[in-house]
Structure formats: C-alpha cells, structure tokens
Amino acid sequence: MTSTDPDVGRLVVSCTDRPGIVANVSAFLYRRGANIVQSDQDSTGAAGGRFFLRVVFHLPGLDKELPRLEREFREEVAARLGADFRFRAAAAPARVALFVSRYDHCLLDLLWRARRGELPIEVSQVVSNHPDLADEVASFGVPFAHIPVTRATKPAAEQRQLDLLRNRVDLVVLARYMQVLSGDFLDRAGVPVINIHHSFLPAFAGAGPYEQAKERGVKLIGATAHYATEELDEGPIIEQDVVRVSHRASVRELTRRGADIERTVLARAVAWHCEDRVLVNGRTTIIF
C-alpha cells in the first residue's frame, strides 16, 4: 500500500556502480532536511556493474520542494555519477489507462482494487476494441472509449488511442487486450505499458492456452506480467505465479484458475510499478 502522507517521497537511482553512491545520495537528502525511512539497493557487479537504489524519505513541504530537489539532484549528484533518477511524491496516485477486449476479469479486478484504495492508481480511461464492457466500466464512473481495430484500420485506431491518452496517463495496462500494439504506438505513448500473459512464459503462447495445457497434461498453470515491447511477449518480466492442477481438471476449470492467477499477478505488477519498486535493467528487472 502506498503512503498517504503528503510529505513522504521516493527517489530511485540507477548508474554504473562505484564507491560513494549511497553516501552522495544520503548526504544530498540530509542537507535538505529529509529523513530516510527506507532504503533498498542492489548491484549487478561490484566492479563495473549496474547499481540500483530506491529510497523512501520524509520531507516537510515535499510538494513545494520537489521541483527544486529534482533540479539540484541533477546538478549536484546525477551529473557527477552519470545516473538516471526520478523523484515522486508517494501519495500521488499514478494515472492509468486500461486496455481490454472482451475478457473482463483483469479489468474489473483492477477497477475494484482502485476504488477500494488497494492500488496506488487513478484509472483515467478504459479503451476497448469491443463495446461489450461499456456498462460495467460506467458503473465505476470511468470513461470508456470503444475504438475498433482491424488490420486495415490499425494505424488510424492507434492514432485515436494516442490522441485520447496524450498527457493524461502515466501508465498503460493491457488487461487482456487481445491486440498486438505496434512498435510505433509503444514509442509514441511516452509511458510504460504492462501486459498480462496467460502463461508462465514462454510456454503456450498464442490462442487457446488452456486448451493447449489440457492437451499436454500440464501439472502447473500460471501467468506472467511484463513490460510490453515490440518483440511480442519478450519484454522484461515483472511478476509470475503458478498454481498446481490435476489431470482431472476440465478446460473450464483450468480457465477459471488461470483467471485467478492472471488477476493477482497483474495487480501485484501494477502496484509494484506504481510504487517505484521495479527498475529495468536491459531485458530483466530488479524488484525492491
């Protein structure tokens, strides 16, 4: 659960590992009167590895101080370390757009958790290539946009989606959106995109995963949440989970249990991303 204290902030940093990174970051925050309340770090290698740091801190009047913190950290610390970084107020929810087709379980779960305050998000928009779920989304008071997609109309449809989302969202979540987003869309969206895949990747990609699972007599089924990239289902993995099943389970039962896993895996991935717990390192992720 994210903090509701308006004076709590987060700072994430990544750079080439070297002595003094933590000391520099801590000293910078100390000089501004901030108190570090949580800190996590990891390095891919002590000599020339990539260093990752997530710090939670308390600073009275944080909202007014954030622009100055960002500017001065860039000049005094990040420039010297060659670091990527971002500050965020922990109480500020991430603005999220949910893309969906006809399967409703992930969509409704995220909307329900957001309404209950179980996720640090504000759902700004739902986009679907089918009209089926418009009434259910309306019951949550969230805007719903039906944008049909065919092979011939895909470029125009994606342009409509981009126009709708521009400057309104911090994250796009594919909550069982049964369309492949183009590389152009991903490049121009300007925000991360999280996808839920109905398999414990890389198994059973494509259509009918539970039918495939039944035919193969699998003993585990699972789901994978990952960042979407132009390479289909190859983006950095955020979270995975599995459940044990029996040969007696029908396709319907496998589908039901798979949907349960998809919901929980996607919810955890969205929460971790929006709490700045996920740091991307090439094709993999560091989760704090």
Side-chain angles (χ1 to χ4, degrees), residues 156-195:
E158 290 195 337
Q159 183 60 58
R160 287 182 60 195
Q161 294 166 351
L162 290 167
D163 291 342
L164 185 64
L165 302 182
R166 185 173 293 113
N167 300 322
R168 295 183 58 212
V169 300
D170 307 304
L171 174 69
V172 172
V173 178
L174 308 182
R176 294 306 304 271
Y177 182 60
M178 312 307 287
Q179 292 284 325
V180 178
L181 295 178
S182 70
D184 180 66
F185 179 97
L186 295 172
D187 289 341
R188 297 172 60 200
V191 297
V193 178
I194 293 177
N195 186 36

Side-chain angles (χ1 to χ4, degrees), residues 64-106:
K64 294 181 180 179
E65 292 294 320
L66 269 178
R68 182 172 69 91
L69 285 176
E70 292 176 348
R71 183 181 68 255
E72 293 180 352
F73 189 88
R74 181 177 296 106
E75 296 169 354
E76 299 177 24
V77 181
R80 184 167 64 254
L81 297 176
D84 298 321
F85 75 96
R86 66 177 177 271
F87 279 96
R88 193 194 307 271
R95 302 169 301 167
V96 176
L98 305 178
F99 279 42
V100 67
S101 290
R102 286 193 167 108
Y103 295 109
D104 64 358
H105 55 285
C106 288

Side-chain angles (χ1 to χ4, degrees), residues 27-43:
F28 174 88
L29 293 173
Y30 170 74
R31 290 194 298 269
R32 272 89 187 154
N35 180 39
I36 294 175
V37 296
Q38 185 179 2
S39 181
D40 296 283
Q41 65 190 67
D42 192 55
S43 177

Side-chain angles (χ1 to χ4, degrees), residues 22-267:
V22 174
N24 275 272
V25 172
S26 300
F28 174 88
L29 293 173
Y30 170 74
R31 290 194 298 269
R32 272 89 187 154
N35 180 39
I36 294 175
V37 296
Q38 185 179 2
S39 181
D40 296 283
Q41 65 190 67
D42 192 55
S43 177
T44 62
R50 191 76 180 168
F51 180 83
F52 300 89
L53 174 69
R54 177 183 184 268
V55 173
V56 182
F57 62 92
H58 181 270
L59 178 63
L62 175 67
D63 186 53
K64 294 181 180 179
E65 292 294 320
L66 269 178
R68 182 172 69 91
L69 285 176
E70 292 176 348
R71 183 181 68 255
E72 293 180 352
F73 189 88
R74 181 177 296 106
E75 296 169 354
E76 299 177 24
V77 181
R80 184 167 64 254
L81 297 176
D84 298 321
F85 75 96
R86 66 177 177 271
F87 279 96
R88 193 194 307 271
R95 302 169 301 167
V96 176
L98 305 178
F99 279 42
V100 67
S101 290
R102 286 193 167 108
Y103 295 109
D104 64 358
H105 55 285
C106 288
L107 169 75
L108 297 181
D109 183 71
L110 292 174
L111 289 170
W112 181 77
R113 291 176 189 269
R115 185 168 67 183
R116 286 175 54 87
E118 294 183 5
L119 287 175
I121 66 173
E122 177 184 284
V123 181
S124 304
Q125 182 72 55
V126 171
V127 176
S128 181
N129 57 325
H130 296 283
D132 306 47
L133 301 175
D135 290 342
E136 293 187 84
V137 172
S139 71
F140 287 89
V142 174
F144 180 92
H146 172 219
I147 303 178
V149 181
T150 67
R151 182 174 299 180
T153 65
K154 185 169 184 172
E158 290 195 337
Q159 183 60 58
R160 287 182 60 195
Q161 294 166 351
L162 290 167
D163 291 342
L164 185 64
L165 302 182
R166 185 173 293 113
N167 300 322
R168 295 183 58 212
V169 300
D170 307 304
L171 174 69
V172 172
V173 178
L174 308 182
R176 294 306 304 271
Y177 182 60
M178 312 307 287
Q179 292 284 325
V180 178
L181 295 178
S182 70
D184 180 66
F185 179 97
L186 295 172
D187 289 341
R188 297 172 60 200
V191 297
V193 178
I194 293 177
N195 186 36
I196 184 67
H197 193 278
H198 46 235
S199 288
F200 190 69
L201 288 176
F204 303 125
Y210 296 110
E211 286 80 357
Q212 296 181 60
K214 177 65 176 177
E215 291 172 2
R216 290 289 302 276
V218 302
K219 302 301 179 280
L220 293 171
I221 59 173
T224 300
H226 63 91
Y227 288 112
T229 64
E230 195 167 0
E231 296 180 80
L232 184 63
D233 298 327
E234 295 293 329
I237 292 171
I238 305 170
E239 172 63 337
Q240 295 179 291
D241 205 351
V242 295
V243 62
R244 182 167 290 280
V245 295
S246 164
H247 66 277
R248 293 188 174 92
S250 64
V251 171
R252 182 176 181 178
E253 175 65 9
L254 294 177
T255 302
R256 184 191 67 78
R257 301 190 71 179
D260 287 343
I261 296 293
E262 291 169 24
R263 281 193 290 261
T264 56
V265 167
L266 184 57

